[in-house]
Each structure stands twice: as C-alpha cells, then as structure tokens.
Amino acid sequence: MNRRKLREAAAGYLFLLPTLLVIGTFLLAPIVYALFLSFHKVQLLGGISYRFIDFDNYVRMGADDRVWIALYNTFEYAIIVVPLQTALAILLAAVLNSKLRGRNAFRILYFLPTVTSSAVLTLIFMWIFKTDGLLNDLLGVFGIQPFNWLGDPKVALKGIMLMNVWSTAPYFMVIYLAALQDIPDSLYEAAEIDGARTLRKFWSITLPLLKPVTFFVVTMGIIGTFQLFDQAYIFSNGSGGPNNSTLTVVLLIYQYAFKNLDMGYAAALAVMLAAVIMLVTVIQRRIFGEEKLN
C-alpha cells in the first residue's frame, strides 16, 4: 500500500472515529461488561467487588420459579400482541391506502397514540380499568357489576396487551402504508382483468409482496414485546402483581438489579433474554425467507 492510500485510509478512519467511540462506549462496552458480570457475584455495598462463580448465575435460573413465570408471561404477551398489532396495522394501512375521503385526517388520528408517552397511556388505561373507572361505568349502563380489572391476575396482563396493541399498531401502519404505495397498480389492474375481486387481490398480491415488510414488523414487534417494562412497572407499582401476573423478564431484571442489588444474576438474566430474542429472530428469518420487495 503506497503512501497516498495510507493517508486516505487514515483520513477515513479519522472521520469514523467519533462514531466508533460512541458505539464502543455506549453499545459494545456495556455488552462486554454485562457478560463479565454474569459470571461474577457482585458486592456493591462497602465498595464494589467481584467474585468469579463460573456458571452459577445461569444454573440458578433453572430453580428460580419467578424466572419461569416471567418467561411465560412474556411469551404469552408476545404471542398475542404481535399478531394482533400486525394484523391491525395491515388493516389500517389498507384502509388508508384506498381512496378514502379525509384519509389524511385519519392518518393523524390513528398515529396519535404512537407519539404519546407510554407512561401517560398507561395512566390513562389504569384510570379506564380501575373499579370506578370508565370501563365499569360503561358496563354499568348494561347492568353489569363492576369488576376489579387491575386486581385480577387473569385479566391484568390482558389490559396491558390491549393498550399496547392500540398504541403500537399505528407505528407499523405507517411502515405498511409506505410499502403498499410501492406496489405497482398494474398488478391490481391485471388481476381485475382476470376477474379477481378485492379480497382475492389482497391475498394473492398484497400480502405476498408485503412479506419482507411483515418480517421486519414482526421482528421489531417481538423485540419490543420481549422488552416490555414501563407499562408492567406502572401497572403493578414495580411488583409484577397481582400474583406475578404482570411480571416480565425485563421487570424481573430490574427487581434483581436495583431492589435486590444482585447485579451478577440480573446480568445473567439479561444475557439469557438477549439469547432468546436472537433465537426467535433466527426462527422468523427461516420462516419468512430471504425475499425482497422489488
């Protein structure tokens, strides 16, 4: 390599240096440190100290009932929320992509929940679900007795699901809407000539061409649902209650890290969660394939 190419390479890396420093400091370094912590017993009080304990933190997960409860709740949440928010996003995008009068106003109205703080949305839904809240008032009109929606372990997580489907579907709707507008009208015109009706065109043209976008939406949806924390924290006041029904993996990590000060075990749980998300993403990639939208 001659001197000119060396100067060009050095200049290129110099321009990249700020980005590399930011990525290294705020992304790579925390990952490496979390891996380091997961193999240690960390003592925070009286001075930070580390004691290497091999795979004990990972072995401990198998006997921790709350880990299995959190995993079950998180998987249940993901399995229900992701398909619902994806289907709703496609439906809303298809409606807005049609020649609907006032569709620009509808786009703004549909997108409002996405730009609203999740903490504010949670407080609003808690007011709706509380015993003397809006939902029970509406049910009272039909003579139905008030129900403790937030205090019933069978219902509490469903309330968070409903809130998240309502608040996240508009974000994915915008992504689907952009993809729908890239589909050539000639495909639909050819299908109409062949006698295809609206539903047939949707199943045979729209959905297949949206497959790469759907892979992205489902992947981002699963990552988001596995990282559920703030809504579950606010709903349960940080406890994961009632009866651990709203306990998620990230909330459990928070409890071990900042309430029990068990940083090593919390780091091991975080590594386990990252591995689960990666595994699910790889499985999705195998299901959706490598197709690209042309």
Side-chain angles (χ1 to χ4, degrees):
M1 183 180 291
N2 56 39
R3 188 173 298 177
R4 180 181 176 182
K5 289 184 177 180
L6 281 173
R7 284 200 303 267
E8 290 177 352
Y13 283 114
L14 188 62
F15 281 113
L16 285 174
L17 185 60
T19 301
L20 293 175
L21 287 174
V22 171
I23 292 175
T25 303
F26 296 104
L27 182 64
L28 298 180
I31 292 174
V32 173
Y33 188 54
L35 286 171
F36 169 80
L37 290 178
S38 69
F39 293 101
H40 290 77
K41 176 70 175 178
V42 183
Q43 176 64 43
L44 296 177
L45 301 178
I48 299 178
S49 62
Y50 307 95
R51 181 167 60 86
F52 181 71
I53 56 173
D54 205 15
F55 288 93
D56 287 1
N57 283 327
Y58 293 95
V59 174
R60 177 180 165 188
M61 294 181 198
D64 191 342
D65 291 337
R66 301 191 77 224
V67 171
W68 295 105
I69 292 172
L71 279 172
Y72 177 84
N73 290 340
T74 305
F75 271 104
E76 179 186 6
Y77 179 85
I79 289 171
I80 294 176
V81 169
V82 173
L84 286 178
Q85 72 183 11
T86 303
L88 182 59
I90 295 175
L91 178 63
L92 292 175
V95 171
L96 292 179
N97 194 50
S98 62
K99 307 302 180 181
L100 182 69
R101 291 186 60 182
R103 59 182 179 273
N104 290 332
F106 281 113
R107 289 178 188 176
I108 296 173
L109 290 175
Y110 290 156
F111 198 71
L112 279 177
T114 300
V115 298
T116 305
S117 167
S118 62
V120 174
L121 287 177
T122 304
L123 293 174
I124 292 172
F125 270 80
M126 287 179 68
W127 170 73
I128 292 173
F129 287 131
K130 67 180 183 178
T131 307
D132 57 346
L134 180 62
L135 181 57
N136 278 328
D137 288 344
L138 291 175
L139 294 176
V141 175
F142 301 97
I144 301 175
Q145 294 296 320
F147 186 78
N148 186 11
W149 301 99
L150 298 177
D152 190 337
K154 296 180 180 179
V155 179
L157 186 62
K158 308 300 187 297
I160 301 178
M161 293 178 185
L162 178 63
M163 178 188 64
N164 275 278
V165 170
W166 179 74
S167 62
T168 56
Y171 169 74
F172 296 120
M173 173 201 70
V174 174
I175 298 174
Y176 273 119
L177 187 58
L180 284 171
Q181 292 175 350
D182 281 341
I183 299 177
D185 291 334
S186 58
L187 295 176
Y188 294 109
E189 294 169 358
E192 288 179 3
I193 294 174
D194 290 337
R197 297 189 178 183
T198 303
L199 190 59
R200 181 64 178 175
K201 288 187 290 185
F202 181 77
W203 284 104
S204 300
I205 298 176
T206 305
L207 282 184
L209 290 178
L210 290 178
K211 190 176 178 182
V213 180
T214 302
F215 168 73
F216 170 79
V217 168
V218 172
T219 301
M220 296 304 295
I222 286 181
I223 292 173
T225 53
F226 271 83
Q227 293 177 339
L228 175 68
F229 170 73
D230 50 349
Q231 297 95 332
Y233 180 89
I234 297 173
F235 256 78
S236 64
N237 197 25
S239 67
N243 196 25
N244 290 326
S245 61
T246 60
L247 182 67
T248 63
V249 176
V250 179
L251 180 55
L252 184 64
I253 293 171
Y254 166 83
Q255 291 178 351
Y256 277 115
F258 299 105
K259 287 189 175 182
N260 300 349
L261 298 181
D262 195 349
M263 289 293 180
Y265 188 51
L269 288 172
V271 172
M272 178 272 295
L273 177 61
V276 170
I277 293 175
M278 291 177 62
L279 177 62
V280 173
T281 303
V282 169
I283 294 173
Q284 284 179 238
R285 190 177 183 85
R286 297 284 301 208
I287 293 173
F288 282 89
E290 301 287 343
E291 297 181 21
K292 295 181 179 179
L293 181 62
N294 295 320

